[in-house]
Amino acid sequence: MAFDSIFSSPLGPPACEKDAKALQFIEEMTQNADAVQQNVLAEILNQNAQTEYLKRFNLDGITDRDTFKSVIPMITYEDLQPLIQRIANGDRSPILSAHPISEFLTSSGTSAGERKLMPTIKEELDRRQLLYSLLMPVMNLYVKGLDKGKGLYFLFVKSETKTPGGLLARPVLTSYYKSEHFKTRPYDPFNVYTSPNEAILCADSFQSMYTQMLCGLYESEQVLRVGAVFASGLLRAIRFLQLNWPQLTHDIRTGSLNTKVTDPAIQECMAQVLRPDPDLADFIAKECAKENWKGIITTIWPNTKYLDVIVTGAMAQYIPTLDYYSGGLPLACTMYASSECYFGLNLTPMSKPSQVSYTIMPNMAYFEFLPHGPNSSKHARKLVDLADVEIGKEYELVITTYSGLCRYRVGDILRVTGFYNSAPQFHFVRRKNVLLSIDSDKTDEAELQKAVENASQILQEFNTSVVEYTSYADTNTIPGHYVMYWELLVKDPTNFPNEKVLSQCCLVMEESLNSVYRQCRVADNSIGPLEIRVVKSGTFEELMDYAISRGASINQYKVPRCVTFTPVMELLDSRVISVHFSPSLPHWTPERRR
Ligand code: AMP
C-alpha cells in the first residue's frame, strides 16, 4: 500500500506509516521553528531554574528570551571547567542541571590536551534517538527498496573510564551503542545491519572490525549501503580488508573463525553465521589479490547504492579516495551532531558533498548564532536566533541544552544556505582553530607550536634549532599522518643531529599532542607515525618569495603553520634533505593525565 494516500509530506511520499509520522514531525518542527525554540528555552530554564549556575544570574523563574539574553553570558568550555570538575569529583548537587548527571560524554575537542567532559542527563538519549529515527524516513524518499537488503556499517565502541566521583566518561557513540535504545532496538526492515551487536560492542578494535568485515563479506549480495560515521572510518575498514583478506577468505572458505577472535559473545553469535562458502571466498580472494583496488566496494558489494559517511568539514579531504574505491557512488552525509548536543539532519542526503546543508531541528536545544567573519564588527556581534539568521552569512553556533550548557560556544562555523519552511539550513564551513586533522583528532596552532618547542629541546645539545616549520595532513596513505617540514639552523656542521635524534623528535612531538591524537595513534590505529621532513636552509625564504609573488604583503607575511596548496607542497618537497618517522607509539591510556 502506498502511504502517500494516508499522509503525503511536502518532502515526498513516505515509504511506510512510520516514515509518514517522522516526516510529519519534521514538518511540524520546521514550520514552527521559532515557536518551538521559544518553548525549548522556556522548558530548559524552568527545568534548570534551581541550578547553581542559573541561580547566579537571578532569573527568578523568568523564561523569556529577552531577559535570558540580557543576563546570561556567552561562554566556552574553559569557563565551565571548574564546575565540570566538581561534578566529575562527585558533587551531586544541581550545579548545571536539575536532572542528575548520568555520565560524561568525552568530546573529540580537547581542553589542555584532554578530551572535554560534557555532562549529560538520561533524557538526552531519547532526544538523540529521536533524531536518529528521522534519518531513514528521509533517505527512503531518495533511495527506494532499502528494506530489501542490509546496511554494512562499521561501528565501534571506545574505551571508557570513571571520573574520581564515579561517573562514566566515554564518547557519545559508545554511550549510544551500549544503551538499550540501540541494543534492543525494534526490528525495522529499513534499518537492518550486517554487523551483529556483539561485534559492535566488542571493545577490542581488531576483533570488532574483523567480525564486522567477515559478516559484511558473507552477506555481500544483501548489502545495499556501506557506511561508517566519518569517511576516515570507512577508509580504515578498506585498509583492514587489504591487510586481512587472506585470513578472512580462509574463514569463509572453511566456515571457521580466526583464532584471534577470542571474545566469547562474538564466537557464540558467529557460530550461527559461519558456513563454508568456497565460491564466495574464491571470488573475494581473486578481487582482493589484484593490484588495482579501483571500485573495490562495488565489486565486492555489487548492490551498494550509496556510501553513508560524513564527508563534510575536515572529512572532505577523503572524497577523492572514497570515489576511487567506490567508483563514484553517491556519498550521503545524513546528520550533524556533537557530544554537547545532536543538532540536525540533511533533508536532501543525496546532494553532492559540496552542497550538503544540515537543517537544525529546533526541538534539540536552544540555538543562537554569533555572526562570524571580517564584516561582523563587535557591535554587530549580537547573537541571532535560529529563525533570524540570514542566507549567505556565516555564524558560530552557540547552544543552550537541557543538560545545562547555557549559551555555550560549540566552535563550529556554519553558513546559511537556505530555509526549509522556517528552519534554516547550514553548510558546515569549518571548526574554529583546527590546523590538522586526520580522524577525530583536532590539532590547533598552539598545540603544534608547543610540540615543536618540546621536540626542539633535544636538538639543543647539537647546537641546532628549528628556525621555521610548517605542516600538512597527509592522507594519501591509509591511515594518514602528520607531516612536519622543518628548516634547521645547525651551528656546528660536524655535529649534525643524526637520524636517531630526528626520529626521536617525531616521537616527542607525538607525546606532546593531545590525547585524542594519541588515542587515534595507539588504540584506533587511525593515524600513522608522525613524519619530519628536513628542508634545505633558505627554503622558508623561498616560500615567502613565492607567497609575495602571488600577492601577499611583505610586511604582513607570516609563515603558514599548515599548508594545503599543491604548488607550495611541491616546492617544500623539492627541498627535502632527509625524512624521519616516529619510531614507536606515543603514550596513551584511557585515564586522563589531569
Ligand atoms: P564530538 O564532540 O567529538 O562528537 O565532535 C563534534 C564535532 O564534529 C562537531 O562540533 C563538528 O565540528 C564535527 N561534526 C559533527 N558532525 C559533522 C558533520 N556532519 N559535518 C562536519 N563536521 C561534523
Side-chain angles (χ1 to χ4, degrees):
M1 175 166 64
F3 284 89
D4 43 336
S5 53
I6 298 170
F7 169 75
S8 175
S9 164
L11 286 163
C16 60
E17 201 176 343
K18 198 166 141 217
D19 284 13
K21 284 191 183 137
L23 298 180
Q24 172 141 35
F25 179 76
I26 294 173
E27 280 305 307
E28 282 166 17
M29 289 297 116
T30 55
Q31 274 172 2
N32 304 305
D34 197 49
V36 175
Q37 281 283 277
Q38 194 164 341
N39 283 341
V40 164
L41 180 65
E43 243 177 55
I44 293 174
L45 295 181
N46 263 327
Q47 186 166 307
N48 290 331
Q50 296 310 317
T51 57
E52 181 179 325
Y53 188 74
L54 280 185
K55 274 168 56 184
R56 273 187 197 171
F57 303 103
N58 301 319
L59 272 173
D60 293 330
I62 299 171
T63 61
D64 72 275
R65 279 191 226 202
D66 290 342
T67 314
F68 172 75
K69 283 170 187 279
S70 65
V71 300
I72 308 282
M74 184 170 65
I75 52 161
T76 64
Y77 182 81
E78 282 64 34
D79 297 316
L80 283 186
Q81 220 273 334
L83 296 181
I84 288 180
Q85 199 56 52
R86 271 175 51 206
I87 302 172
N89 290 343
D91 190 334
R92 296 279 185 270
S93 64
I95 297 176
L96 293 173
S97 160
H99 288 203
I101 300 300
S102 53
E103 61 183 310
F104 280 106
L105 303 176
T106 55
S107 148
S108 61
T110 55
S111 170
E114 293 294 336
R115 287 173 179 271
K116 290 177 187 164
L117 288 175
M118 296 300 166
T120 190
I121 54 177
K122 242 192 175 140
E123 66 172 59
E124 275 298 293
L125 253 173
D126 301 331
R127 219 165 266 120
R128 283 181 217 122
Q129 175 73 31
L130 177 64
L131 193 66
Y132 281 127
S133 75
L134 306 178
L135 304 183
M136 283 316 286
V138 172
M139 187 54 87
N140 289 337
L141 297 172
Y142 295 92
V143 185
K144 302 295 169 205
L146 290 173
D147 55 339
K148 306 291 182 293
K150 298 188 177 185
L152 165 55
Y153 282 79
F154 295 96
L155 307 176
F156 299 93
V157 295
K158 293 195 182 191
S159 59
E160 51 192 37
T161 49
K162 284 218 162 134
T163 66
L167 282 169
L168 273 177
R170 54 191 181 178
V172 63
L173 289 173
T174 300
S175 163
Y176 176 65
Y177 299 143
K178 288 190 168 183
S179 72
E180 293 307 314
H181 287 71
F182 180 78
K183 286 195 293 191
T184 56
R185 60 196 182 277
Y187 175 78
D188 173 355
F190 289 95
N191 220 355
V192 182
Y193 296 148
T194 54
S195 295
N197 283 359
E198 290 80 353
I200 295 170
L201 295 172
C202 173
D204 180 293
S205 62
F206 175 86
Q207 296 185 51
S208 174
M209 176 77 95
Y210 191 93
T211 313
Q212 297 195 49
M213 186 61 84
L214 189 57
C215 293
L217 293 173
Y218 260 119
E219 301 205 74
S220 56
E221 293 284 331
Q222 281 90 302
V223 168
L224 301 182
R225 50 202 174 107
V226 176
V229 179
F230 289 111
S232 53
L234 186 53
L235 288 172
R236 195 150 62 93
I238 302 291
R239 179 72 188 145
F240 187 89
L241 184 60
Q242 277 173 343
L243 296 175
N244 293 284
W245 65 262
Q247 181 66 43
L248 286 157
T249 50
H250 168 271
D251 289 6
I252 296 173
R253 187 169 291 110
T254 57
S256 59
L257 186 61
N258 185 347
T259 50
K260 285 192 192 152
V261 180
T262 53
D263 184 299
I266 293 186
Q267 286 178 336
E268 198 184 322
C269 90
M270 288 307 283
Q272 316 296 316
V273 176
L274 291 164
R275 58 180 193 281
D277 191 341
D279 289 347
L280 179 65
D282 286 347
F283 169 73
I284 297 169
K286 188 176 105 246
E287 293 303 329
C288 291
K290 289 181 182 164
E291 266 294 281
N292 186 342
W293 272 43
K294 188 166 194 286
I296 193 78
I297 295 179
T298 35
T299 305
I300 294 195
W301 295 284
N303 299 315
T304 314
K305 298 178 187 229
Y306 66 94
L307 302 185
D308 189 344
V309 277
I310 291 176
V311 287
T312 42
M315 290 292 146
Q317 60 189 331
Y318 295 109
I319 294 171
T321 320
L322 284 174
D323 283 345
Y324 176 82
Y325 287 125
S326 75
L329 279 177
L331 298 167
C333 298
T334 56
M335 72 188 279
Y336 170 42
S338 77
S339 316
E340 293 91 330
C341 174
Y342 278 24
F343 306 124
L345 75 169
N346 181 357
L347 294 179
T348 52
M350 296 318 250
S351 47
K352 280 198 205 140
S354 58
Q355 280 156 21
V356 168
S357 290
Y358 298 101
T359 306
I360 289 191
M361 290 301 286
N363 60 307
M364 299 302 292
Y366 182 64
F367 299 101
E368 291 174 281
F369 298 84
L370 179 65
H372 179 81
N375 299 330
S376 51
S377 65
K378 228 178 168 185
H379 187 63
R381 281 165 68 89
K382 238 178 98 190
L383 292 179
V384 176
D385 276 324
L386 182 70
D388 297 333
V389 295
E390 292 175 53
I391 293 180
K393 293 209 170 148
E394 288 189 5
Y395 299 90
E396 183 185 338
L397 181 61
V398 176
I399 55 173
T400 297
T401 67
Y402 287 87
S403 307
L405 300 177
C406 277
R407 310 194 97 189
Y408 174 95
R409 295 173 77 159
V410 174
D412 289 348
I413 307 296
L414 310 175
R415 184 171 53 247
V416 186
T417 54
F419 281 80
Y420 181 71
N421 293 326
S422 61
Q425 304 186 293
F426 296 92
H427 173 72
F428 182 93
V429 179
R430 64 189 171 84
R431 195 174 166 99
K432 267 191 341 187
N433 301 332
V434 174
L435 204 61
L436 291 169
S437 174
I438 295 283
D439 188 28
S440 51
D441 56 302
K442 299 168 177 64
T443 297
D444 68 23
E445 201 166 322
E447 288 170 318
L448 198 68
Q449 169 74 22
K450 186 82 203 134
V452 172
E453 279 170 17
N454 289 349
S456 52
Q457 277 179 14
I458 319 181
L459 299 176
Q460 277 174 7
E461 65 177 284
F462 298 89
N463 225 344
T464 295
S465 54
V466 180
V467 281
E468 274 307 351
Y469 70 90
T470 190
S471 66
Y472 92 98
D474 183 349
T475 52
N476 291 320
T477 52
I478 309 173
H481 69 289
Y482 288 12
V483 174
M484 301 297 306
Y485 292 96
W486 276 15
E487 184 172 323
L488 300 178
L489 178 65
V490 185
K491 296 198 186 103
D492 175 8
T494 61
N495 191 20
F496 200 96
N498 60 23
E499 147 65 22
K500 199 164 163 225
V501 172
L502 286 161
S503 58
Q504 197 56 30
C505 288
C506 298
L507 184 57
V508 172
M509 281 206 63
E510 294 201 297
E511 289 288 6
S512 313
L513 293 174
N514 66 48
S515 75
V516 178
Y517 175 89
R518 286 178 284 111
Q519 182 172 8
C520 288
R521 276 283 281 135
V522 176
D524 306 346
N525 198 15
S526 57
I527 303 183
L530 185 143
E531 178 182 355
I532 292 178
R533 297 181 188 167
V534 178
V535 294
K536 270 200 321 217
S537 138
T539 301
F540 278 83
E541 224 172 293
E542 283 187 70
L543 201 67
M544 177 170 85
D545 292 342
Y546 179 77
I548 289 164
S549 76
R550 288 176 52 87
S553 144
I554 193 155
N555 292 325
Q556 287 167 318
Y557 177 78
K558 286 185 212 72
V559 176
R561 291 302 179 212
C562 178
V563 291
T564 48
F565 187 48
T566 311
V568 170
M569 276 136 76
E570 283 170 356
L571 188 153
L572 288 164
D573 280 329
S574 69
R575 305 294 187 270
V576 170
I577 48 179
S578 65
V579 169
H580 313 271
F581 286 92
S582 194
S584 55
L585 292 171
H587 171 272
W588 179 80
T589 63
E591 278 70 45
R592 301 166 70 84
R593 280 186 172 171
R594 53 169 195 99

